[in-house]
Short mmCIF file of all heavy atoms in Angstrom, two decimals:
data_model
loop_
_atom_site.label_atom_id
_atom_site.label_comp_id
_atom_site.label_asym_id
_atom_site.label_seq_id
_atom_site.Cartn_x
_atom_site.Cartn_y
_atom_site.Cartn_z
N ARG A 87 4.75 -5.00 11.57
CA ARG A 87 3.29 -4.88 11.59
C ARG A 87 2.64 -5.96 10.73
O ARG A 87 3.19 -6.36 9.70
CB ARG A 87 2.84 -3.50 11.14
CG ARG A 87 3.52 -2.96 9.92
CD ARG A 87 3.65 -1.44 10.03
NE ARG A 87 4.36 -0.81 8.96
CZ ARG A 87 5.63 -0.44 9.01
NH1 ARG A 87 6.36 -0.68 10.06
NH2 ARG A 87 6.20 0.17 8.00
N THR A 88 1.47 -6.35 11.19
CA THR A 88 0.69 -7.32 10.43
C THR A 88 0.22 -6.72 9.12
O THR A 88 0.20 -7.40 8.09
CB THR A 88 -0.54 -7.79 11.23
OG1 THR A 88 -1.32 -6.65 11.60
CG2 THR A 88 -0.13 -8.59 12.45
N LEU A 89 -0.20 -5.45 9.16
CA LEU A 89 -0.69 -4.78 7.96
C LEU A 89 -0.48 -3.28 8.09
O LEU A 89 -0.80 -2.69 9.12
CB LEU A 89 -2.19 -5.08 7.76
CG LEU A 89 -2.82 -4.52 6.48
CD1 LEU A 89 -2.21 -5.18 5.23
CD2 LEU A 89 -4.33 -4.74 6.49
N ASP A 90 0.05 -2.71 7.04
CA ASP A 90 0.21 -1.26 6.94
C ASP A 90 -0.45 -0.86 5.63
O ASP A 90 -0.14 -1.44 4.58
CB ASP A 90 1.70 -0.90 6.93
CG ASP A 90 1.94 0.59 6.92
OD1 ASP A 90 1.23 1.31 7.65
OD2 ASP A 90 2.85 1.04 6.20
N VAL A 91 -1.39 0.08 5.68
CA VAL A 91 -2.08 0.55 4.48
C VAL A 91 -1.99 2.07 4.45
O VAL A 91 -2.42 2.73 5.39
CB VAL A 91 -3.55 0.09 4.44
CG1 VAL A 91 -4.17 0.45 3.09
CG2 VAL A 91 -3.69 -1.40 4.72
N ASP A 92 -1.43 2.60 3.37
CA ASP A 92 -1.24 4.04 3.22
C ASP A 92 -1.97 4.55 1.99
O ASP A 92 -1.94 3.91 0.92
CB ASP A 92 0.25 4.38 3.06
CG ASP A 92 1.06 4.13 4.31
OD1 ASP A 92 0.55 4.41 5.41
OD2 ASP A 92 2.20 3.64 4.19
N VAL A 93 -2.57 5.73 2.13
CA VAL A 93 -3.12 6.44 0.97
C VAL A 93 -1.93 7.08 0.26
O VAL A 93 -1.24 7.92 0.84
CB VAL A 93 -4.15 7.51 1.39
CG1 VAL A 93 -4.68 8.24 0.16
CG2 VAL A 93 -5.28 6.92 2.21
N LEU A 94 -1.69 6.67 -0.98
CA LEU A 94 -0.56 7.20 -1.73
C LEU A 94 -0.96 8.37 -2.61
O LEU A 94 -0.27 9.38 -2.66
CB LEU A 94 0.04 6.10 -2.63
CG LEU A 94 0.55 4.85 -1.93
CD1 LEU A 94 0.98 3.82 -2.95
CD2 LEU A 94 1.67 5.18 -0.96
N TRP A 95 -2.09 8.23 -3.29
CA TRP A 95 -2.46 9.20 -4.32
C TRP A 95 -3.97 9.14 -4.53
O TRP A 95 -4.54 8.05 -4.57
CB TRP A 95 -1.76 8.83 -5.62
CG TRP A 95 -2.04 9.73 -6.78
CD1 TRP A 95 -3.09 9.65 -7.65
CD2 TRP A 95 -1.27 10.85 -7.19
NE1 TRP A 95 -3.01 10.64 -8.58
CE2 TRP A 95 -1.89 11.40 -8.32
CE3 TRP A 95 -0.09 11.43 -6.71
CZ2 TRP A 95 -1.38 12.51 -8.98
CZ3 TRP A 95 0.41 12.53 -7.37
CH2 TRP A 95 -0.23 13.06 -8.49
N VAL A 96 -4.59 10.29 -4.71
CA VAL A 96 -5.99 10.39 -5.11
C VAL A 96 -6.03 11.45 -6.20
O VAL A 96 -5.67 12.61 -5.96
CB VAL A 96 -6.91 10.78 -3.93
CG1 VAL A 96 -8.35 10.90 -4.38
CG2 VAL A 96 -6.78 9.79 -2.77
N ASP A 97 -6.45 11.05 -7.41
CA ASP A 97 -6.48 12.01 -8.52
C ASP A 97 -7.25 13.26 -8.14
O ASP A 97 -8.36 13.19 -7.60
CB ASP A 97 -7.13 11.38 -9.76
CG ASP A 97 -6.17 10.58 -10.61
OD1 ASP A 97 -4.95 10.61 -10.34
OD2 ASP A 97 -6.64 9.92 -11.56
N GLY A 98 -6.64 14.41 -8.41
CA GLY A 98 -7.31 15.69 -8.20
C GLY A 98 -7.40 16.15 -6.76
O GLY A 98 -8.04 17.16 -6.48
N GLU A 99 -6.77 15.42 -5.85
CA GLU A 99 -6.86 15.80 -4.43
C GLU A 99 -5.47 15.99 -3.83
O GLU A 99 -4.59 15.15 -4.01
CB GLU A 99 -7.60 14.71 -3.63
CG GLU A 99 -8.69 15.28 -2.77
CD GLU A 99 -9.41 14.23 -1.94
OE1 GLU A 99 -9.96 13.29 -2.52
OE2 GLU A 99 -9.41 14.39 -0.71
N ALA A 100 -5.30 17.08 -3.13
CA ALA A 100 -4.08 17.33 -2.36
C ALA A 100 -4.52 17.66 -0.94
O ALA A 100 -5.40 18.49 -0.74
CB ALA A 100 -3.29 18.48 -2.95
N VAL A 101 -3.92 16.97 0.02
CA VAL A 101 -4.27 17.17 1.43
C VAL A 101 -2.97 17.38 2.19
O VAL A 101 -1.99 16.66 1.97
CB VAL A 101 -5.01 15.93 2.00
CG1 VAL A 101 -5.35 16.13 3.47
CG2 VAL A 101 -6.25 15.61 1.19
N ASP A 102 -2.96 18.35 3.10
CA ASP A 102 -1.80 18.58 3.95
C ASP A 102 -2.32 18.89 5.35
O ASP A 102 -2.49 20.04 5.72
CB ASP A 102 -0.95 19.72 3.42
CG ASP A 102 0.38 19.85 4.16
OD1 ASP A 102 0.63 19.07 5.11
OD2 ASP A 102 1.16 20.75 3.81
N GLU A 103 -2.59 17.81 6.10
CA GLU A 103 -3.10 17.91 7.46
C GLU A 103 -2.20 17.10 8.37
O GLU A 103 -1.44 16.25 7.89
CB GLU A 103 -4.55 17.39 7.50
CG GLU A 103 -5.49 18.22 6.63
CD GLU A 103 -6.90 17.64 6.52
OE1 GLU A 103 -7.19 16.61 7.17
OE2 GLU A 103 -7.70 18.23 5.78
N PRO A 104 -2.26 17.33 9.67
CA PRO A 104 -1.33 16.62 10.58
C PRO A 104 -1.37 15.10 10.46
O PRO A 104 -0.34 14.45 10.56
CB PRO A 104 -1.78 17.08 11.97
CG PRO A 104 -2.41 18.41 11.74
CD PRO A 104 -3.07 18.32 10.39
N ASP A 105 -2.55 14.53 10.21
CA ASP A 105 -2.66 13.07 10.17
C ASP A 105 -2.82 12.51 8.76
O ASP A 105 -2.96 11.29 8.58
CB ASP A 105 -3.82 12.59 11.03
CG ASP A 105 -5.17 13.07 10.52
OD1 ASP A 105 -5.23 14.10 9.82
OD2 ASP A 105 -6.18 12.41 10.82
N LEU A 106 -2.78 13.37 7.73
CA LEU A 106 -2.95 12.89 6.36
C LEU A 106 -2.31 13.87 5.39
O LEU A 106 -2.63 15.06 5.37
CB LEU A 106 -4.45 12.76 6.03
CG LEU A 106 -4.79 12.33 4.59
CD1 LEU A 106 -4.26 10.93 4.29
CD2 LEU A 106 -6.31 12.38 4.39
N VAL A 107 -1.36 13.35 4.59
CA VAL A 107 -0.76 14.13 3.52
C VAL A 107 -0.88 13.31 2.24
O VAL A 107 -0.45 12.15 2.18
CB VAL A 107 0.72 14.46 3.81
CG1 VAL A 107 1.34 15.23 2.65
CG2 VAL A 107 0.85 15.25 5.12
N VAL A 108 -1.53 13.90 1.23
CA VAL A 108 -1.71 13.24 -0.06
C VAL A 108 -1.37 14.26 -1.14
O VAL A 108 -1.88 15.38 -1.07
CB VAL A 108 -3.18 12.76 -0.22
CG1 VAL A 108 -3.40 12.17 -1.61
CG2 VAL A 108 -3.55 11.75 0.86
N PRO A 109 -0.50 13.90 -2.08
CA PRO A 109 0.18 12.63 -2.24
C PRO A 109 1.05 12.30 -1.02
O PRO A 109 1.52 13.19 -0.33
CB PRO A 109 1.04 12.83 -3.48
CG PRO A 109 0.51 14.04 -4.17
CD PRO A 109 -0.16 14.85 -3.12
N HIS A 110 1.26 11.00 -0.83
CA HIS A 110 2.06 10.56 0.32
C HIS A 110 3.43 11.24 0.27
O HIS A 110 4.10 11.22 -0.77
CB HIS A 110 2.22 9.04 0.29
CG HIS A 110 2.77 8.49 1.56
ND1 HIS A 110 4.09 8.62 1.91
CD2 HIS A 110 2.18 7.81 2.56
CE1 HIS A 110 4.29 8.04 3.08
NE2 HIS A 110 3.14 7.54 3.50
N PRO A 111 3.85 11.86 1.37
CA PRO A 111 5.06 12.70 1.34
C PRO A 111 6.37 11.96 1.06
O PRO A 111 7.33 12.58 0.62
CB PRO A 111 5.08 13.34 2.73
CG PRO A 111 4.30 12.40 3.59
CD PRO A 111 3.24 11.82 2.70
N ARG A 112 6.42 10.66 1.32
CA ARG A 112 7.68 9.94 1.11
C ARG A 112 7.59 8.88 0.00
O ARG A 112 8.51 8.09 -0.16
CB ARG A 112 8.13 9.30 2.43
CG ARG A 112 8.58 10.33 3.45
CD ARG A 112 8.88 9.74 4.81
NE ARG A 112 7.76 9.05 5.42
CZ ARG A 112 6.74 9.64 6.04
NH1 ARG A 112 6.69 10.94 6.14
NH2 ARG A 112 5.76 8.93 6.57
#
Side-chain angles (χ1 to χ4, degrees):
R87 45 213 176 261
T88 56
L89 184 65
D90 184 41
V91 187
D92 292 321
V93 179
L94 301 174
W95 180 274
V96 179
D97 275 353
E99 229 182 302
V101 179
D102 189 359
E103 298 173 3
D105 65 335
L106 177 63
V107 178
V108 175
H110 192 286
R112 291 174 301 282

